[in-house]
Structures are given as C-alpha cells and as structure tokens.
Amino acid sequence: MSGNPPLIVNTKCECGHQNPVGTVLCEACGNPLLDGADSARPLEMRYDGKARRSQKTNPGVIDRVWNFFSSVKIAIYLIVLTLLGSTLGTVFPQESTFLHIDPSTYYKQRYGTAGDIYYRLGLSHTYESWWFITLLVMIGASLVICSLDRVLPLYKALSRQQIRKHRRFLTRQRVALATKVAEGPEDWVSKAVQPLKKQGYRVMTDGGALLAEKHRFSRWGPYIIHIGLIIFLLAVLARGLPGLHMDQHLAFPQGEIVHIPDTSYYLVNERFTVEFYKDEEMPEEFRGKKVLPKLYETKAVLYECTADCGDPSREPKLAKVASHAIQVNDPLSYKGMKAYQFDYDLTPVLRSVTPKLVNSATGESYGSFKLEMKNPQRSFTAGPYTLELKEKYMEFGLSEEGKPISKSPYPNEPAFFFLIKGPKLPAGGEPYFYFPKQNDKAEFQQDAINDKLGGQGRFLELEVGDMSGVDVSESTSYLNVRVDRAMPFVWVGAGIVMLGLVLGFYWQHRRIWLTVGEGELTLGAHTNKNWYGLRREVSSFLKKMDINADEKSLENGGDPA
Amino acid sequence: MGKARRPVQIMILVLIVLLGGYAVGTTAFGGDGKPKEGGRAPSFELLGLDGKTHSLDEYQGRPVVLNFWGSWCAPCVKEMPALEAQWEKWKAHGVIVVGINVGEDQMTVQNFVNGVGVSFPVLMDQDREAVRSYGISPLPTTFFITAKGTIDTIHIGQLDLGTLDAQIGKLVNR
C-alpha cells in the first residue's frame, strides 16, 4: 500500500499557508512539503515548487484531456511519432514532386511491388495524410497546454517571492552554506547589499533576511520559443486558406500574353534564352560527352488588368507593372507573387504567316495579308480579289469517312480553305486550299488538290516569299508561379523562436537567499543552469564579506555542473 | 486558483478542435482540388458562341449536363448527335446541355457547330481555365450537375444515347 498516495493530503504548511494540491515547496516559506524533515537531498526546484495548473484531486473529462496534453512525456512521444512518420514519407518521392503522373500506376511501374504497397498505404502523400496532420495538431495542442500549465504558476511564484525562507529550504539548495558570523543580523545584511548589487543582482531585504536575484527574464525563454512555434504552425496551417497560397506551372510561348489563372495578372515571355557551356569552358573529362546548361533566362513583363477583367466577351485593359529577366533562383517578384524559371521547350510554334496572292502565269503580285493561326480574320482583300476563309485545320488530316479534320488544336500542320472571288473567276468563287508550311504543301499535294477543285484555268496562288513573312514563337518557357502570403508569419514565428532560444541560452536566472540569526548565517542559492558560475559568484561575494568559502565547499550534492 | 480557469480551458480546447478539424479537413480530405462526385461544381465565366459571357450560376435551379469537347477529338465528335438528341428531348423538363470547347478559336468552334447541327449552348474555353478548375484530362468528359449545383456523376469517355438518357433521367428525378 505504500505506493498509493493517501486519499486526502494535508497541504497546509507549518508556517500556516494553505497550499494547492501538488505543491512541492510551500508557496510562502519554501519549506519542502512532500518529504520528511530528515531528508537532506537537494530540492526539486521546478516551477519553484508550485503545483502545475492541471494537478487536481478529482479530474473530470476535460481535466483528463487537459492533463494528457499537458504531459511532457506525451509531447515527447508525439514528437518521436511525427519524426518516424516524416521518415516514412522520404522512402519514395512524394506525389507532389511530380507534375503529370497518375500515382495509382506510377509507383507500381517505377518501384515495383514495394512502390505499390507504398502507394496503397497512402505514404505517397504522407505529409497531407489525416494522421500526419492530426499528429501536428496534437503537437500544437501540447505546446499550448504545456506552456499555459506551467508558465502561469511559475509567473505567480516568481512575482510573489518571500524574502525570508524556511531554514530547510536554504540548507537543501544545491549551493548552500551555514557558518557562524559575529555581527548582528541587520548589520550583516545591510553590509551584504552593496557587493551583491555590484554583481548585478536586484536585492531585497527583510530584517535579517535577504533575497538577491538576477536575469529572471531568461526563465521565459522556453515559453517564448513555444509562442514562436505556435505562430509557425498556425502560419503553415493558414496556407490552406484561399488566396494565401498558390503554386502553378504555366507555359509561356515567346511573345504571347498569358493570363495567370486565379489572379488579375498577365505575363509575357518577351524572349527566352538557353545557353550551354562551350567545350573549352568545361573540364577535360566532360568535353564532347556532356551538354551542360549555362543560362536559362526568360525576359518577362508582368501586366495587371485594370478594367474589363474576367469578362471574356471584352478585351481586358492591361497596365505594365513589372519586368524582370528571370533566371534560375532569380524570380520575377511582384507583391508577393513570384515567377520562377522551371522548364523550356525549343519547339517553334507557328503564329502567323503573311502570304502574297500572285498570278502564277504572269508573276504579277496582288498584295499580301496576315493570316493568324488563332482567331484569324475571316475575309481578306488582295488587289481586285477577295479571299473568304471558310475552314481551317490546325493539324490537317482525314477522318475515317475521308473528310478533312484537325487532329489536334496545335498548329503543327495547318491548312486553310479559301473561296476566292474576283475578275476572271467563276461567279460562285474559286475554292483554294493553302498549306503555309512547305513540307505540308508537298506531303498533302496542295497543287493536285487545287487543280482538282479549281480546274484547268487556275492561275492564282498564295505564296510566302521568305522567312520575313512567317511569324514563329521560337520557344516556350515554363514558369512556376507562386504566391505564399503565409511566409512572413513563418519568418516572424522563426524569429520569435530564435529570440526565446537566445534568452534561455545566454542568461541564467540566479537567486541567492540568506538569513542571519542567532550568530549564524544560512545561505542557499539556485540557478536554472551553469551551477559552476553561480558557485563562483557566491564564493566571491562571501570573500568580500570576509568569509572564506571555496567554490567546492558550497556544493551540496546533486548535479554539480 | 482563478475562477476563470474552467471557461478558459474549455475555450482553448474548443479552439484546438476547430483549428485542428479545419486543418485535417482541408489538407487530408480536401483532395487535390479537383471536383469530385457529390462535391460542388466549380463556377466559370466563359464566352459563348452567341458573343455573351455565360456562367454556371445562370443555370441555377436547373439540372446541367456539362460536356467538355474538342473538334479534333473523335469520340467527342461521335457523341455530339446523342447530346443534341437528349437536349431536344429533355429541354422541356428544364435540363440544360452546355458544351465547353477546349482551347479552340471561335472560327473552328462555329464551323463545327454549324457542320454537326448543334443547337445547345456552346462556350469557348480558350485559356483552358474551366479545364483547370474542373481537372479535365482526357476528352470528352461530361459532368452531370444537379439543380442544386452539386456534381452527381462524372463520365469520362464517349457517351451513348442510352447512358445519357438514363443519367439525365436520374438528374431530373432527384
């Protein structure tokens, strides 16, 4: 039965103070309450002996939940579990690292059965899984509750300190001394004030008792760290809120203005450059074997829509807001939005051609017009002739029924079907098929088709003289457009953590209590770390008071560090 | 100790449950942002062939069949007559069929619509914004949306007359 605590604990101290359940040292005089008067072990000074808030005789459901989270042991288990969980997420790459994969087949194909099991267990998205987020939330709860449960009692204990302490409290400190003094109590104490003040202590006296204290603020360090961590966690959580976080990969063909979805911004890739190292610039072993990129650069201009935005029936009004030569790790940045270089494609894309209408018999030219691949004009005039655009095919092909169709929406093998009207042509107009690309013209036999459609007397042709009549987007740059408005809060949180660390690491809360009475000086001292430094300080103080006590002799058992 | 202790304790626990529930709910069960069956249909604003801007909101209160298509996609072309037939059959019941063309220009879409004889409203998604918000990858993809604006069924691939009829019937009888 000895292991069970008694049902009703008498928590009244011999000094008359009524302490709450769980109190280790009397709140008033510091007398150790839990162990017998004969014990000489150094005192447990955590939270200055105050009961933690959660310590209660009859815990209810809420108290039990509260106690669960206020336990440091539970917090450590949670952290270890989270660490193990995070480790699992690093076995194979996470789904979020790929842009275009089907995870249900990818993991099996790439990593075999292990990959399949990994995917099926949901570990391919570990950091977004319910159990991982739940662990994080529980750590957050533990942070808040652990802190509250300890910081408030500690604050109360430290702000209501009694100067005169129980003798047992003093003799059972890790740094302690009892020695004879000749002077009267009040004289000795008043003499002691000055040297302690010199050592940087705040000194309070009460007759023959004295309390000297310094650097109490360092005790708040751990709690400041917790506040920083909570801000950090909340900021990470807030990224899920709409508008705070965006991460998309977009294609920007050179020279084309592209709307950035979910924003009022438009971006133009004015010129994309990729450069590679020349052979002579590379180390010998790479020459002729490797192609190493030297530079990826997108000259980008950012526009903001100022009016008629989001209404597709109207042309948006744009104002230039920023421009930047985007390179790897040097994004375009505007009001929290960042555009990073991500990928490129050097396949040229045909944008428009400017063919001339010529008389193939006489060589006479009737003028030219610009034919856009996307949203072309529907009718053109060249000299006395009008050309009506009837059909267009971006990637020309024939359907199963033999009808002309487009095989894709991309202008890979474009074809245009015109009806030409004018002098010496049939009244209904002359049909004409036009393939702007020379290759396609031969492949699809443009002349043969037109001969068949227009008959023998056909004399008009569309021709592109040289490359000046061809407008090509030379390349496409892929940019990663990101917004992360939670980032400043992440930094603030991290900064507060750092402040807390500095406070807790570089300063120590030191206290010296002493009482003089009946010709004896009793001294006890406490610090939260660096006992060596404290002993030295106490020893040098005593020396000034003409008491020779070397540092070692002050040691009173326990951890001597 | 302080009298305000219990309410403060309860408040903190409730806050943790709310925030934690939100975190778990959005991150773990919010999925990849693609709409799912049973979820809300994302709104869109697209230019119609009639030259006006149309949004999903204007069809509120009516069951919507939202068909994503392209003129280059053979199964899309093949299912068009079935869609047109079902539009004729069900429009008296308030059902609306909307075709969203993916990435082609007005001329291509107009020619296609005239050629096939489509009479239901057709919208153009040249910048592929609706494609993105609806998470479309293969074409055709058809969303059956209830009068309340929730997605009843997502059908990927070519639809035949029978399935289409059954699906729309299900939408109307909800």
Side-chain angles (χ1 to χ4, degrees), chain A residues 357-421:
Chain A
L357 185 69
V358 293
N359 186 323
S360 57
T362 64
E364 189 188 349
S365 170
Y366 300 108
S368 61
F369 56 88
K370 192 175 183 184
L371 181 60
E372 302 269 359
M373 295 299 119
K374 206 164 194 182
N375 288 318
Q377 280 183 56
R378 304 294 284 274
S379 108
F380 305 92
T381 51
Y385 296 99
T386 60
L387 295 94
E388 261 177 62
L389 180 59
K390 287 292 181 193
E391 292 284 350
K392 82 182 191 29
Y393 309 93
M394 288 290 92
E395 189 170 334
F396 187 79
L398 293 174
S399 71
E400 287 164 22
E401 297 88 41
K403 280 199 264 177
I405 52 156
S406 197
K407 288 191 287 189
S408 89
Y410 309 106
N412 299 329
E413 293 172 336
F416 296 85
F417 179 62
F418 291 98
L419 203 58
I420 311 175
K421 288 179 184 169

Side-chain angles (χ1 to χ4, degrees), chain B residues 67-87:
Chain B
N67 175 251
F68 287 83
W69 64 277
S71 74
W72 75 90
C73 136
C76 308
V77 176
K78 282 192 192 129
E79 72 179 3
M80 273 300 161
L83 277 168
E84 176 63 21
Q86 292 302 320
W87 157 245

Side-chain angles (χ1 to χ4, degrees), chain B residues 5-56:
Chain B
R5 218 190 116 171
R6 177 48 63 101
V8 168
Q9 245 181 6
I10 292 173
M11 228 169 68
I12 289 169
L13 287 175
V14 165
L15 240 137
I16 287 168
V17 168
L18 283 180
L19 270 169
Y22 172 81
V24 175
T26 49
T27 333
F29 300 110
D32 41 16
K34 283 185 191 175
K36 292 196 169 59
E37 290 182 0
R40 276 209 82 71
S43 63
F44 55 77
E45 269 192 44
L46 296 171
L47 187 62
L49 269 186
D50 55 3
K52 290 185 195 123
T53 303
H54 295 272
S55 67
L56 186 62

Side-chain angles (χ1 to χ4, degrees), chain A residues 23-24 64-65 132 136 146 171 212 221 292 325 339 372 381 406 500 529:
Chain A
T23 307
V24 181
R64 278 174 200 280
V65 174
F132 192 79
L136 288 186
C146 274
T171 54
L292 291 179
E372 302 269 359
T381 51
S406 197
K529 60 171 118 9

Side-chain angles (χ1 to χ4, degrees), chain A residues 164-455:
Chain A
R164 186 175 292 276
K165 290 286 187 183
H166 196 279
R167 192 171 186 278
R168 273 212 296 273
F169 178 87
L170 301 180
T171 54
R172 285 183 59 192
Q173 291 296 332
R174 273 194 204 166
V175 173
L177 174 82
T179 186
K180 297 261 174 269
V181 285
E183 284 162 272
E186 266 145 62
D187 294 341
W188 200 92
V189 164
S190 62
K191 239 175 72 189
V193 171
Q194 222 33 54
L196 283 169
K197 277 195 174 161
K198 264 230 163 94
Q199 283 180 324
Y201 284 90
R202 279 187 300 128
V203 184
M204 284 166 288
T205 56
D206 173 15
L210 176 145
L211 164 60
E213 184 180 17
K214 74 174 174 190
H215 300 161
R216 188 197 286 177
F217 61 84
S218 97
R219 291 294 283 269
W220 312 128
Y223 307 101
I224 291 171
I225 295 173
H226 285 183
I227 291 171
L229 285 174
I230 290 161
I231 292 175
F232 192 103
L233 272 178
L234 285 176
V236 172
L237 222 165
R239 289 170 91 197
L241 293 172
L244 283 179
H245 183 69
M246 181 179 88
D247 191 345
Q248 41 188 352
H249 298 82
L250 301 170
F252 295 90
Q254 190 168 302
E256 217 170 283
I257 191 155
V258 178
H259 179 221
I260 300 172
D262 308 322
T263 68
S264 59
Y265 296 111
Y266 290 74
L267 191 140
V268 183
N269 158 18
E270 292 200 318
R271 176 153 193 87
F272 173 74
T273 335
V274 54
E275 276 175 27
F276 298 95
Y277 282 103
K278 296 193 195 81
D279 255 5
E280 58 267 26
E281 287 175 310
M282 285 199 287
E284 202 129 327
E285 56 265 42
F286 287 179
R287 283 183 196 165
K289 289 181 203 146
K290 288 204 174 180
V291 181
L292 291 179
K294 188 179 186 180
L295 176 76
Y296 302 112
E297 186 182 77
T298 305
K299 288 219 157 45
V301 179
L302 186 73
Y303 294 88
E304 186 170 12
C305 179
T306 53
D308 298 331
C309 313
D311 183 351
S313 65
R314 290 200 234 177
E315 196 63 20
K317 290 198 176 56
L318 302 179
K320 181 176 165 178
V321 290
S323 66
H324 187 68
I326 299 172
Q327 293 183 5
V328 175
N329 289 334
D330 182 13
L332 176 144
S333 176
Y334 182 72
K335 288 192 179 167
M337 187 176 78
K338 289 194 163 98
Y340 293 86
Q341 188 66 49
F342 176 71
D343 198 1
Y344 68 99
D345 181 1
L346 293 180
T347 316
V349 179
L350 188 62
R351 216 158 25 198
S352 75
V353 286
T354 311
K356 281 185 294 207
L357 185 69
V358 293
N359 186 323
S360 57
T362 64
E364 189 188 349
S365 170
Y366 300 108
S368 61
F369 56 88
K370 192 175 183 184
L371 181 60
E372 302 269 359
M373 295 299 119
K374 206 164 194 182
N375 288 318
Q377 280 183 56
R378 304 294 284 274
S379 108
F380 305 92
T381 51
Y385 296 99
T386 60
L387 295 94
E388 261 177 62
L389 180 59
K390 287 292 181 193
E391 292 284 350
K392 82 182 191 29
Y393 309 93
M394 288 290 92
E395 189 170 334
F396 187 79
L398 293 174
S399 71
E400 287 164 22
E401 297 88 41
K403 280 199 264 177
I405 52 156
S406 197
K407 288 191 287 189
S408 89
Y410 309 106
N412 299 329
E413 293 172 336
F416 296 85
F417 179 62
F418 291 98
L419 203 58
I420 311 175
K421 288 179 184 169
K424 294 198 233 161
L425 291 179
E430 185 179 86
Y432 183 84
F433 248 102
Y434 175 56
F435 293 85
K437 284 190 179 174
Q438 207 55 46
N439 289 348
D440 305 342
K441 198 171 279 183
E443 189 194 334
F444 297 109
Q445 299 171 26
Q446 179 181 315
D447 293 339
I449 298 174
N450 284 331
D451 285 347
K452 209 169 173 188
L453 291 169

